[in-house]
Amino acid sequence: MGNKKILLDHGSGGKISHALLKEMILPVFHNDLLSRLDDGARIDIGGGISIAFSTDSYVVDPIFFPGGNIGDLAVNGTVNDIAMCGGEPKYISAALILEEGFSVDDLKSVLDSMAEAASKAGVIVVTGDTKVVPKGKVDKIFINTSGFGLIPFGVNLSGSNARPGDKVIISGTIADHGITILSAREGLKFDSDIKSDSAALNGMVKKILEIATLEKGRDERNRAAISERLLNSVSISDSGSGLSSSGSCLDSEPGLDSERNPDTCSGVHVLRDPTRGGVGTTLNEIAQQSDVRINIWEDAIPVKDAVHGMCELLGFDPLYLANEGKLLAVVSAEIADIVLDIIKKDEFGKDAAIIGEVVRPEPCGVFLQTSIGGSRIVDMLTGEQLPRIC
Amino acid sequence: MGNKKILLDHGSGGKISHALLKEMILPVFHNDLLSRLDDGARIDIGGGISIAFSTDSYVVDPIFFPGGNIGDLAVNGTVNDIAMCGGEPKYISAALILEEGFSVDDLKSVLDSMAEAASKAGVIVVTGDTKVVPKGKVDKIFINTSGFGLIPFGVNLSGSNARPGDKVIISGTIADHGITILSAREGLKFDSDIKSDSAALNGMVKKILEIATLEKGRDERNRAAISERLLNSVSISDSGSGLSSSGSCLDSEPGLDSERNPDTCSGVHVLRDPTRGGVGTTLNEIAQQSDVRINIWEDAIPVKDAVHGMCELLGFDPLYLANEGKLLAVVSAEIADIVLDIIKKDEFGKDAAIIGEVVRPEPCGVFLQTSIGGSRIVDMLTGEQLPRIC
């Protein structure tokens, strides 16, 4: 490798990031858990208990931006990564690296946002670390959050589970976070409500998994009737008492486990939050992991008008801009409408839409059906659109 | 707080760090788990299972030094923090923050060291993250590692468990890491074998906890005979098959749990690795958490001659210099000699010594009996001796 240097591209989340991961990191640490390349690791700790474990460092610039700051971003990001693995996040860590001279008031604001985000997501910060480095050796504040959560019995999510016939759902408008950071960094002012979508999606995920299970378990009944009942009952399902008593996979029933299909929640195959690298890169990851072709429909992808305008003006493709409060769900066609309805009823999912489908194994990749009837390949992000986006 | 700024002292691990923690961080995240202020959190995840969860960011400068580099330091540090909470570390995360322009060869060396350290410690890196920030926004490479491990039944370690009468053991010579980093940073050359003590101590901890349990369970037998047997059997205990079959608390025995004393391993009260802030600061933390007075004996504290010389020359107190492969054990007097022998037989414990005792509740603090017969207060580190030590 001689004089090779790390480039910003290596942190893009796109093609070059994946090359670094596959050529340097995976071979060194080679193990099956890491090699799955999901948002976190799924670990069987024995006794039938599985845990989702995830980590992320946050280096966003600027640290304060419309819709949030590095503090809530760090909490929501790790909460979401755990949730996308099927885990129910409950405990997280917070490790701060501070620059000498950083404002104590700003630190207080960041900590307050972390605490508020944690409270909203229903997680607690149980351990942490604080380092201070001399001025100029780090830019203001970087935060690492890690965390874990129990994975309910029967939940088996992975980027490698997408199957031909599946539908692809996005939980809302894309590129909000990316365009917000870009605008804030460049000092661009514009009259609009563009702000980061930073949010914890573990509540939404819980409902999706509950619905999927119920639907799978009720084949004998009228589908429409079930769907209506489910939708009506979701509003009380947050407590875990509403749905879990009626056979949800989130409810363990001792004695029945051995007879159960470990694929109970199989209607929901993949959950992913399209952060760094955006929807385009995340769908490519899923296509590669599952070895499938995914078609998405340009007209179906929700983008706010203001975001669309900014992207046109500045030459950015919203498919590659980061989201921090959205999820992609790849689900079986039979439950796609139900899952969509569930997401739309969630606080963070009102703009959700079915944006594509998994069509067949080959050629592996992501293809966009454009508004004017054409089709183009959506590759992984090449190069770095926007460093320090999260 | 107005214009207050973060100082290097806030990251010292000493007095000012603790003020930051107690005045700003704990009040914001207030919860019992975080407030215990141990090296990690002890979390009851239900079903009688407890987990130790810990995180640390590593910002050491220089990143390569005699005895190791930032990679093995990051792995060993988190492995040790989990072990000091009584957890058996098995899974860790690795989150890298890289500076644009960082040498790919150096990254490879660091990753190789991480993998080697993980292998030696018996843990695997199961999830990770890589960020790259523009040149000048971080210094070369920072690494966060987090991890968790199951805490065997009956193990209950905390800095708040020290009791009057307990003995204090250090597992080897102190200040090796601190003086190594100082020398490497300043480009000091000296003819000696001074190098970082970076090492994973989870193997040593496992033996200590096994011995403590066995000793507690054999009151009716001759103490010397047991001691001898234990010492002879330790060499085969790594596999878990040697000792755990004879009643160790590391061996769960279904059906007996309800009759067991949850304090089974109570002979071992506190384990801590005296990293940032050194032995002096760590003992002060224990004294404060347990509200006790700890006396230590200067003559008993193992310090390498070369380290002693460097400290005298440069005006550093070895009591405040970091260790990265040492532990402090606070144990009941009855088992102190046995624990000492066990530690001495470990690969990383040959210079272990009993260096002090917990004498009485008041006044709370740490006191040094000097070589010439005097006594002085050993306060927490005030100010920053050496930034970016780990």
Side-chain angles (χ1 to χ4, degrees), chain A residues 286-315:
Chain A
I286 296 169
Q288 282 185 14
Q289 283 181 264
S290 297
D291 204 15
V292 294
R293 168 177 170 148
I294 298 174
N295 283 347
I296 53 174
W297 313 308
E298 188 169 29
D299 285 345
I301 300 169
V303 185
K304 286 196 175 82
D305 286 344
V307 171
H308 185 75
M310 285 290 286
C311 283
E312 292 226 316
L313 191 70
L314 299 166

Side-chain angles (χ1 to χ4, degrees), chain A residues 346-360:
Chain A
D346 185 86
E347 173 184 8
F348 302 115
K350 66 181 170 50
D351 298 317
I354 295 176
I355 61 167
E357 60 193 350
V358 181
V359 285
R360 56 174 179 268

Side-chain angles (χ1 to χ4, degrees), chain A residues 41-42 52-53 83 93 101 118 121 143 145 147 176 179 231 268 273 286 288 331 344 369:
Chain A
R42 180 195 174 102
F53 176 41
S93 62
I143 301 178
T145 49
D176 294 0
I179 214 74
L231 287 167
V268 181
D273 53 341
I286 296 169
Q288 282 185 14
V331 305
K344 281 181 165 241
Q369 316 287 327

Side-chain angles (χ1 to χ4, degrees), chain B residues 60-115:
Chain B
V60 66
D61 171 42
I63 59 171
F64 296 100
F65 46 80
N69 65 49
I70 191 171
D72 56 84
L73 196 69
V75 170
N76 291 334
T78 286
V79 163
N80 290 345
D81 281 347
I82 296 167
M84 299 306 141
C85 299
E88 298 187 338
K90 218 162 160 190
Y91 306 104
I92 66 169
S93 62
L96 313 174
I97 303 175
L98 306 176
E99 183 182 18
E100 178 189 15
F102 183 59
S103 154
V104 168
D105 282 347
D106 284 351
L107 176 59
K108 181 79 173 63
S109 298
V110 169
L111 292 172
D112 285 342
S113 291
M114 292 187 81

Side-chain angles (χ1 to χ4, degrees), chain A residues 129-141:
Chain A
D129 177 47
T130 306
K131 295 287 193 303
V132 181
V133 299
K135 200 161 180 63
K137 300 302 182 185
V138 73
D139 190 18
K140 298 184 189 75
I141 177 173

